[in-house]
Amino acid sequence: PKELIVAVSADGRYAINKTPVEGRSVEAVAAALAENAKAGKDSVVIISADATAAHQSVITVMEAARRTGLSQITFATQNSARAGAR
């Protein structure tokens, strides 16, 4: 309930806790964040972006979180299969 996992797909679509967000604007993402932030300002936004997602898509999530008053933002990371093969 405290974590908001925002998935960013390669083609710029968003989902919050696996629920698709209608629209790709900062306003649409901000509205979805506000609706899903059950812990209010204590909610933690975890951005999980596809490696090929546009930089702007991630910035959109960060701006939406700022507008919603959510200041705790972190990034989910994954090791690539390639990196593990070294």
Side-chain angles (χ1 to χ4, degrees), residues 4-72:
L4 296 168
I5 300 172
V6 183
V8 183
S9 69
D11 63 356
R13 288 177 291 125
Y14 302 99
I16 298 176
N17 293 341
K18 299 185 180 181
T19 302
V21 173
E22 293 296 323
R24 299 181 186 189
S25 67
V26 172
E27 292 78 12
V29 177
L33 283 172
E35 183 179 317
N36 287 281
K38 304 298 184 210
K41 306 290 185 214
D42 290 331
S43 297
V44 178
V45 177
I46 301 170
I47 301 172
S48 178
D50 184 278
T52 60
H55 179 77
Q56 184 58 51
S57 298
V58 174
I59 297 299
T60 296
V61 177
M62 294 172 72
E63 176 61 13
R66 185 190 69 77
R67 290 187 187 183
T68 310
L70 302 172
S71 60
Q72 297 182 70

